[in-house]
Amino acid sequence: MVTEVSLLVRLVLLLDKVPAPPPPKQRLRGKPPKYTDKLLLKALLVMLVRRLYSAHALLAFLAQDDPTVRVLRTLLHEDGDFPTRRTWERRLAQLPTRLPGLIGWFARHLVTLLLPWQQHGRAVAVDSTALRTAGGLWHKKDKENGVIPHPSIDKQAGWSKSGHHGWWYGWKLHLAVAVGWIWIPLAAELTVANVGGSSFFPLLVDDSFRTS
């Protein structure tokens, strides 16, 4: 029987087969990062499957004395080195801004490797997911008056309303996924909560079919 953990190892190994994305065209100031975005994506994959919501939780999981976990820890080394806790915290915090582009990059290669549409026509499912902020609510009246009730308030987030969630404050993840014998995330975009998904769906679908 195939276990969840062994499937996770296979998924991480699958990411290793995909070429690393090229560096940004415009070189950023300062010292180039020691660890690649691919390593961060592999760590993010482990965190999503195991429901680990912080760098501390990731490192606590990887510290377990378990043969499969030791394999995962080895796969999260790069050039023989393993990032420190501070490095994990800093790089994971920076990941959201580059994540949509990285999803598209890896999706193009995974579609080539796995051929999700080989036995039937191409199809893509597109939907949006509500992402509530964790720093508290910034009510409209306070926002209009420039009153910030708590320093943890996410001032860039927005309000939205849906039949399922009611009123909520936060962000929205728009995601396009290949519909086939295997489901592959193909394109993504992160917006404030009050941006309608219909404005992004044509772009996401267009980006998705470019992966074939």
Side-chain angles (χ1 to χ4, degrees), residues 3-194:
T3 66
E4 178 191 21
V5 176
S6 65
L7 282 173
L8 179 54
V9 170
R10 292 184 184 186
L11 288 172
V12 174
L13 288 172
L14 181 61
L15 279 183
D16 268 334
K17 294 183 179 181
V18 177
K25 294 181 180 180
Q26 184 177 0
R27 183 175 177 181
L28 302 178
R29 294 182 179 180
K31 185 179 179 181
K34 179 178 180 180
Y35 300 101
T36 65
D37 286 331
K38 180 191 280 192
L39 180 69
L40 272 294
L41 276 183
K42 292 195 294 184
L44 182 61
L45 177 60
V46 174
M47 294 174 73
L48 290 174
V49 173
R50 298 299 304 179
R51 298 184 180 182
L52 309 170
Y53 302 114
S54 66
H56 175 77
L58 172 66
L59 293 176
F61 169 72
L62 294 174
Q64 296 181 37
D65 187 17
D66 178 88
T68 306
V69 174
R70 287 198 294 269
V71 173
L72 289 172
R73 184 178 177 90
T74 300
L75 294 174
L76 294 180
H77 279 69
E78 208 164 61
D79 296 327
D81 291 331
F82 186 77
T84 63
R85 178 183 61 82
R86 291 288 299 275
T87 299
W88 281 121
E89 290 175 346
R90 177 173 52 83
R91 293 294 302 276
L92 287 170
Q94 297 171 350
L95 190 58
T97 58
R98 284 180 50 77
L99 192 56
L102 292 172
I103 289 175
W105 171 266
F106 280 90
R108 286 189 285 274
H109 290 278
L110 288 177
V111 166
T112 302
L113 286 172
L114 301 177
L115 303 174
W117 299 311
Q118 186 176 28
Q119 299 178 359
H120 49 72
R122 293 179 296 174
V124 173
V126 184
D127 202 358
S128 299
T129 300
L131 303 175
R132 299 176 184 272
T133 62
L137 304 180
W138 197 11
H139 294 286
K140 185 177 180 180
K141 184 177 180 180
D142 289 335
K143 187 174 183 178
E144 291 175 347
N145 294 327
V147 176
I148 304 176
H150 194 277
S152 66
I153 291 290
D154 184 348
K155 297 186 290 294
Q156 296 180 326
W159 283 95
S160 186
K161 185 180 181 180
S162 69
H164 177 69
H165 297 283
W167 282 103
W168 55 280
Y169 182 71
W171 299 78
K172 190 179 291 183
L173 176 64
H174 310 271
L175 185 65
V177 180
V179 178
W181 75 269
I182 186 172
W183 293 65
I184 302 174
L186 299 175
E189 188 65 46
L190 183 67
T191 70
V192 294
N194 55 314

